[in-house]
Amino acid sequence: MGRLTTHVLDMSSGKPAAGLKVELWRIGLRPELVVTVGTNRDGRVEGAVLEGDSFKAGIYELRFHAGAYLRGTGAKMEEPAFLDVIPIRFGIADVNQHYHVPLLLSPYGYSTYRGS
C-alpha cells in the first residue's frame, strides 16, 4: 500500500525545520482533522503521516504551522506574520503510490512539489 510523507526545509537558515507542527486534514463536506505531527531534527515527520487502512483516495490538506516555528527560531517577522499557517491542498488518486509533499519555507515565501 501507499503512504504520505513530508519534510520541511528552512530556506532562511539553510537547515531542516525541526519542531514544526503539521496537521493533516481530509477535505470533504466538512474538513476532518486526521492527525497532528511534528518534524524531527532532520525536518522530517517520523514515519508516514498517513498509511495503511487510513490511506484512502481523496482530497487532503497539510497545514504547516510556519509562523510559530519561525517565531521560535528568532526570525525577524512582522506581526501579524506574513505567513502563519501554510495550507497545501492535494489529491491522492492511487492508494498504491508514495506521495511525498515537502515544504521549502522562509518568512516571506514557500514552495512545494510532489517528491519521491
Side-chain angles (χ1 to χ4, degrees), residues 24-103:
L24 176 66
W25 291 77
R26 189 178 332 254
I27 306 301
L29 293 176
R30 290 185 174 188
E32 171 192 353
L33 178 62
V34 177
V35 67
T36 301
V37 294
T39 57
N40 64 19
R41 66 182 224 183
D42 291 326
R44 298 185 178 277
V45 170
E46 295 287 342
V49 177
L50 191 64
E51 64 184 340
D53 292 339
S54 299
F55 191 74
K56 298 175 184 172
I59 304 297
Y60 292 85
E61 188 172 281
L62 283 167
R63 295 180 187 174
F64 297 89
H65 290 256
Y69 161 78
L70 290 165
R71 282 183 201 92
T73 68
K76 292 185 180 185
M77 298 170 48
E78 298 171 338
E79 287 298 334
F82 179 70
L83 294 174
D84 189 21
V85 177
I86 299 171
I88 307 293
R89 190 169 288 192
F90 58 96
I92 292 176
D94 184 348
V95 297
N96 295 307
Q97 289 193 21
H98 176 192
Y99 289 77
H100 184 69
V101 182
L103 182 71

Side-chain angles (χ1 to χ4, degrees), residues 19 47 53 55 105 110-111 114 116:
D53 292 339
F55 191 74
L105 166 68
Y110 68 91
S111 67
R114 180 168 177 193
S116 57

